[in-house]
Amino acid sequence: MNSWRLTFLLVFWSGIGFSQIPDIPFEQWYSIKYYATVRTDGKVFSDRNHLVQGLSGGQLFLPANGQFLHPGTLMLDTRYRSMQGAKIRTMNVYQNQFWYLDESKLWSNAWAGRRALSHHLPQAKSFAGGADYRFLVSDGTSLEYIKDSLTLWQTKLTGEDVKAIHYARNTFWILTVTNLYTLQNHQLQNYYSGDGFTSLALNDTSIYLGSEKGYYHWNKRAKQPTLHTKLPSVSISAIALIDGHPWLGTNQGVFTPKPDGTYAYFQGERWLPGDQVVSIAQGPQQTILVFTTHGLAQLSKQSITLQDKAYFFENQVRARHIRNGFNASLEGMEKGNLATGYLADADNDGLWTSMYLGSQAFRYAATQEKQALENCRESLDALERLYTLTPVPGFPARSFERSSIKSQLADSKVWQNSPQPGWTWKATTSSDEAIGHVFAFATVAELVNDPNLQAKAIRLLDTLMNHIVSHDLYLVDYDGKPTKWGRWNPEYVNSFPVNVGDRKLNSSNIIGMLQTAFHFTKKEKYRQKAFELMKKHGYLANLARPMNEIGKAPDNADEHSKLLSEGWNHSDDEMYFLGYWGLYRYAFNDTLRSHYRKAIIDHWQAERPEKDATWNFFTALTGTQTFDVKESIWYLQHYPLDLIDWRIQNSHRQDLRFLPDNFRKQTTSQVVSPAERPMQRHNRNTFILDENGTGQSEFSAGDTWLLPYWLGRYLGIIKAAPSNHSLLFSN
């Protein structure tokens, strides 16, 4: 959505409730990739028939069998038998038709093959067409201007190497490493001199000249260019003007300027087969063809709504990310090949599934869709089995699997045989799991209008909380000992210095958990325990402590406190905000709710730089009218459709303003777009710039995107949009 349109819509955001933001279509970018079997060079173009053809190593190729998330390959173009074996030196597009150059002639297969002319530069390697089928040809040092096989003009550029020839403004433009020349009326003139020039693109209003140190830009009135160096990648290897808009290729991806002065950056195999860009051209149907040393990318965009995107992601989860009812990752893929890999177990299977279950509860509450109800049922069954497969009443496993593959499971030493034959379960359950479960059980109990599911959710909630209260506010494992992280006991919580985050976090979580348990079970023991913790042990003061007081443990603190406070813990953020559902929504009274509201908004103020729709929408639970709606829509719109863990690099970028090392680990003044940063869940630092992914994993959208979207829909922040729920892309 254009920023001015969104700003206009925000004018209506007022009053006690939330005026819904219309789900206006936006441009969703995605990439179709075609890999080459050998290293490539040369060029790629598209003609009037929307055919894509390229030249590499003297051979013509076509992209074949590519779809979004299902890469194709580059195949030899064998359609014209007369061209097989031809020593084609380069190709170009003139009057929207392909033209080819060899050691003696220049021709096209269009116009019934009539268009062909001779030249006299046996080592010719570049050309461009001008008016009335006149062409300028170069072998790097010599220039020959021809029409109908007649030489109209020629010259030699001593000591220079022609990099590119273009025709615009009734003029030929010739670029060498050190000079930009014009040729008009047989007069060669120097237009601009410098060094390290690499590429050129121009039209009637602008000139873009690429160099090893950035790019130069002349607008229509400028006599001297502006040199741009604050770029995602500085050394420019290719430029194309597409619909008047510049696209610039480098050895670290491709980028294009945005109206706000920043750049949209496409780097890594989320977007490109290789980062070293060879050429760029306009493709069919408003696509961008980016030819790299490892293949071709067709950068595409489609006008969709957030609701369209939601159903695309709903299909992604159901097709590839459900393991025994869990919301799981697809691991072990062969370089992004979705037909390979396996559904992996994870320490936080219960947490990721709880977040997905919450999304489906919000979806059902917003739409009453039967499939959302069935998804809730299946995920709740998976969470229930976490309790029934362990021998300890009320103690949930982290995960479970069939015992036949126990030896293949990560951390196999913590996997235990279940009393139920044929199954194994993972021990050492953490507070992450517990707060996730309580959140999920509460959303089902409150929002899913199915008596059986509601009763099951409340029973499981009571089962978990009874275990915790009965075991002195610990999760006690099969060995009779508390787990490392399942601890809410005052002796543990208050052992931390007041500025260590775990003291605040655990206090906030357990009060929210106890309130939730009391709200749905009405068992007085939960209410009594919560007030005991707040009045006798200072948990209200703990959870209300401002975030600006949270930091590193003092020098005299114990080693455990120091370890847990080396930097901002983003996994804690996820636990806080999931816990805020029960903390605020099920507050015992209005006085407490007021305290909670202040604490939540204070925490959100610290999270605002991340522009995460999840934190923003959970903050909206408090009724505040300020929770960064524009940034939330930005997050949802810019989140990529490709959720594979490709290698992503941003730390080299010159267009970012880097910050000194800090406790929060915020690396840049502004968070990088989700489309440009490494793939991650909400529990990781969104300011991480680099990730050496290998395409072995695909994340589920169930917790990363569907949770904030459907929460926004449920709260009435985002308006429903017309949709036929059809798949927009093959995934």
Side-chain angles (χ1 to χ4, degrees):
M1 181 189 307
N2 292 334
S3 59
W4 70 266
R5 296 180 72 188
L6 182 56
T7 302
F8 175 77
L9 291 169
L10 294 180
V11 172
F12 296 98
W13 194 276
S14 60
I16 298 175
F18 300 134
S19 298
Q20 291 182 318
I21 292 294
D23 189 358
I24 295 176
F26 62 97
E27 292 181 344
Q28 176 69 61
W29 284 94
Y30 61 99
S31 177
I32 301 174
K33 292 169 288 188
Y34 301 87
Y35 285 90
T37 56
V38 296
R39 187 177 174 88
T40 58
D41 57 14
K43 298 180 178 181
V44 64
F45 297 98
S46 175
D47 71 356
R48 63 178 291 272
N49 302 311
H50 304 302
L51 176 68
V52 176
Q53 185 185 61
L55 180 72
S56 180
Q59 295 181 305
L60 295 171
F61 65 81
L62 298 171
N65 303 320
Q67 300 178 52
F68 174 57
L69 294 177
H70 299 275
T73 57
L74 297 182
M75 306 290 292
L76 289 179
D77 185 352
T78 60
R79 294 169 305 143
Y80 276 86
R81 291 176 293 175
S82 60
M83 296 180 68
Q84 295 178 31
K87 297 179 180 179
I88 301 174
R89 304 191 65 85
T90 191
M91 67 176 294
N92 209 330
V93 168
Y94 175 66
Q95 295 196 1
N96 291 319
Q97 299 284 7
F98 296 134
W99 284 72
Y100 310 97
L101 178 76
D102 67 13
E103 67 274 11
S104 62
K105 62 182 182 298
L106 181 63
W107 80 98
S108 175
N109 290 318
W111 297 281
R114 290 195 304 269
R115 295 293 181 181
L117 59 161
S118 299
H119 66 84
H120 303 89
L121 299 177
Q123 301 302 315
K125 62 179 184 179
S126 60
F127 73 94
D132 194 26
Y133 296 94
R134 299 167 186 254
F135 292 85
L136 184 64
V137 182
S138 175
D139 61 4
T141 58
S142 297
L143 295 168
E144 182 181 13
Y145 184 34
I146 57 177
K147 176 178 170 57
D148 297 331
S149 299
L150 298 176
T151 300
L152 304 179
W153 173 90
Q154 61 183 354
T155 193
K156 188 176 182 67
L157 300 173
T158 304
E160 296 197 67
D161 182 21
V162 173
K163 307 291 291 185
I165 305 174
H166 290 271
Y167 184 81
R169 308 179 184 182
N170 299 315
T171 303
F172 282 102
W173 300 75
I174 303 100
L175 179 70
T176 73
V177 175
T178 55
N179 293 290
L180 176 61
Y181 295 99
T182 61
L183 176 63
Q184 192 175 38
N185 299 323
H186 298 179
Q187 296 294 314
L188 186 69
Q189 295 184 332
N190 189 299
Y191 187 84
Y192 188 75
S193 296
D195 61 86
F197 298 155
T198 61
S199 47
L200 176 69
L202 68 161
N203 58 17
D204 290 341
T205 59
S206 290
I207 302 173
Y208 290 86
L209 192 160
S211 78
E212 296 171 352
K213 57 185 178 183
Y215 72 90
Y216 298 85
H217 175 227
W218 289 260
N219 62 29
K220 190 172 184 178
R221 294 176 298 277
K223 295 183 178 180
Q224 292 295 320
T226 300
L227 176 61
H228 297 266
T229 59
K230 298 294 185 181
L231 308 173
S233 185
V234 173
S235 184
I236 308 300
S237 58
I239 304 179
L241 275 170
I242 299 175
D243 293 329
H245 198 71
W247 286 78
L248 301 103
T250 73
N251 61 357
Q252 293 174 298
V254 64
F255 62 88
T256 185
K258 296 194 293 187
D260 63 1
T262 62
Y263 294 93
Y265 185 36
F266 302 84
Q267 180 271 329
E269 286 189 77
R270 178 182 298 160
W271 301 107
L272 309 174
D275 283 337
Q276 191 169 342
V277 177
V278 178
S279 71
I280 307 170
Q282 183 164 7
Q285 299 176 335
Q286 295 187 306
T287 61
I288 313 297
L289 301 175
V290 182
F291 192 34
T292 77
T293 53
H294 288 80
L296 172 67
Q298 188 170 3
L299 300 181
S300 309
K301 59 185 177 181
Q302 185 161 339
S303 179
I304 65 172
T305 63
L306 289 176
Q307 182 165 298
D308 293 328
K309 193 169 183 176
Y311 287 109
F312 170 83
F313 279 143
E314 290 288 353
N315 182 73
Q316 184 248 24
V317 175
R318 303 313 301 181
R320 293 192 297 278
H321 293 281
I322 300 299
R323 180 186 71 84
N324 294 332
F326 288 129
N327 175 40
S329 293
L330 186 64
E331 303 279 0
M333 294 189 298
E334 299 172 1
K335 198 177 181 180
N337 185 344
L338 296 176
T340 62
Y342 60 90
L343 290 167
D345 66 278
D347 268 4
N348 287 329
D349 273 344
L351 175 60
W352 311 141
T353 304
S354 294
M355 296 172 76
Y356 172 60
L357 175 52
S359 81
Q360 296 307 290
F362 295 138
R363 176 186 172 190
Y364 182 71
T367 67
Q368 298 297 299
E369 291 174 354
K370 182 179 179 180
Q371 185 171 11
L373 179 63
E374 292 306 310
N375 295 344
C376 288
R377 193 184 315 279
E378 184 174 10
S379 292
L380 190 60
D381 283 346
L383 294 184
E384 181 182 38
R385 288 210 80 194
L386 292 173
Y387 293 84
T388 60
L389 286 173
T390 75
V392 183
F395 180 83
R398 283 185 179 272
S399 184
F400 61 79
E401 251 297 356
R402 297 184 187 276
S403 55
S404 59
I405 65 166
K406 182 177 179 181
S407 62
Q408 304 174 38
L409 300 173
D411 303 320
S412 58
K413 292 183 179 179
V414 300
W415 286 84
Q416 306 296 316
N417 291 327
S418 172
Q420 296 184 24
W423 293 92
T424 182
W425 62 278
K426 195 169 190 178
T428 71
T429 306
S430 70
S431 53
D432 307 62
E433 308 302 297
I435 193 63
H437 289 197
V438 171
F439 162 72
F441 298 152
T443 56
V444 173
E446 179 179 352
L447 305 178
V448 180
N449 188 24
D450 182 292
N452 292 330
L453 287 183
Q454 291 174 314
K456 179 186 287 189
I458 294 170
R459 173 173 54 79
L460 290 171
L461 171 64
D462 189 28
T463 297
L464 171 61
M465 295 309 299
N466 181 65
H467 173 96
I468 292 172
V469 171
S470 299
H471 290 86
D472 205 16
L473 301 182
Y474 291 108
L475 277 177
V476 176
D477 215 330
Y478 70 96
D479 57 4
K481 300 177 182 179
T483 64
K484 184 176 183 179
W485 302 115
R487 299 166 179 247
W488 302 272
N489 183 282
E491 184 178 355
Y492 174 79
V493 171
N494 288 334
S495 68
F496 293 108
V498 294
N499 69 325
V500 173
D502 283 61
R503 181 164 179 157
K504 175 180 172 71
L505 170 67
N506 288 30
S507 298
S508 178
N509 275 184
I510 192 62
I511 297 302
M513 292 159 67
L514 290 167
Q515 285 186 162
T516 303
F518 175 75
H519 178 84
F520 288 104
T521 69
K522 304 305 180 186
K523 292 186 178 180
E524 188 64 24
K525 63 181 179 181
Y526 299 129
R527 183 179 182 278
Q528 290 177 353
K529 181 58 66 175
F531 276 105
E532 175 190 328
L533 293 174
M534 287 189 285
K535 292 182 176 180
K536 183 177 179 181
H537 298 288
Y539 276 35
L540 180 58
N542 287 346
L543 70 86
R545 185 161 290 110
M547 274 293 175
N548 62 14
E549 296 181 14
I550 302 301
K552 292 187 176 182
D555 293 340
N556 62 352
D558 62 277
E559 293 304 313
H560 188 55
S561 296
K562 291 179 180 179
L563 175 66
L564 294 181
S565 61
E566 291 179 345
W568 193 277
N569 191 318
H570 298 272
S571 183
D572 289 356
D573 292 330
E574 188 171 65
M575 296 170 64
Y576 273 117
F577 279 93
L578 291 179
Y580 289 157
W581 178 268
L583 185 70
Y584 183 83
R585 201 170 183 88
Y586 310 128
F588 291 125
N589 55 55
D590 289 341
T591 300
L592 286 173
R593 184 174 284 109
S594 177
H595 286 297
Y596 301 154
R597 185 179 191 270
K598 183 178 179 180
I600 293 169
I601 294 175
D602 171 73
H603 185 185
W604 171 75
Q605 289 286 353
E607 297 300 320
R608 293 184 77 177
E610 295 189 9
K611 301 182 182 180
D612 190 321
T614 312
W615 314 148
N616 296 341
F617 290 167
F618 271 106
T619 301
L621 288 170
T622 66
T624 178
Q625 297 298 304
T626 304
F627 55 90
D628 290 350
V629 181
K630 180 180 178 180
E631 289 77 2
S632 302
I633 301 301
W634 172 86
Y635 171 92
L636 294 170
Q637 289 182 346
H638 283 257
Y639 206 83
L641 295 177
D642 182 341
L643 306 189
I644 296 173
D645 69 325
W646 298 115
R647 181 178 182 270
I648 297 292
Q649 301 289 305
N650 287 290
S651 58
H652 62 276
R653 295 174 63 167
Q654 299 297 308
D655 61 322
L656 303 178
R657 185 164 71 86
F658 293 90
L659 301 180
D661 189 36
N662 53 79
F663 179 74
R664 186 174 176 78
K665 304 300 181 184
Q666 182 174 337
T667 56
T668 53
S669 60
Q670 296 291 324
V671 70
V672 172
S673 165
E676 300 170 13
R677 63 185 185 228
M679 186 50 54
Q680 55 192 204
R681 288 187 151 101
H682 299 294
N683 66 335
R684 294 194 65 203
N685 182 6
T686 57
F687 286 91
I688 292 174
L689 297 175
D690 303 334
E691 192 88 350
N692 289 320
T694 58
Q696 292 186 332
S697 305
E698 185 190 49
F699 284 61
S700 167
D703 50 288
T704 58
W705 197 92
L706 291 176
L707 175 60
Y709 171 75
W710 287 117
L711 175 57
R713 282 285 302 275
Y714 166 70
L715 293 176
I717 298 170
I718 304 171
K719 190 175 182 179
S723 177
N724 60 10
H725 300 191
S726 63
L727 294 181
L728 302 171
F729 319 96
S730 174
N731 70 350

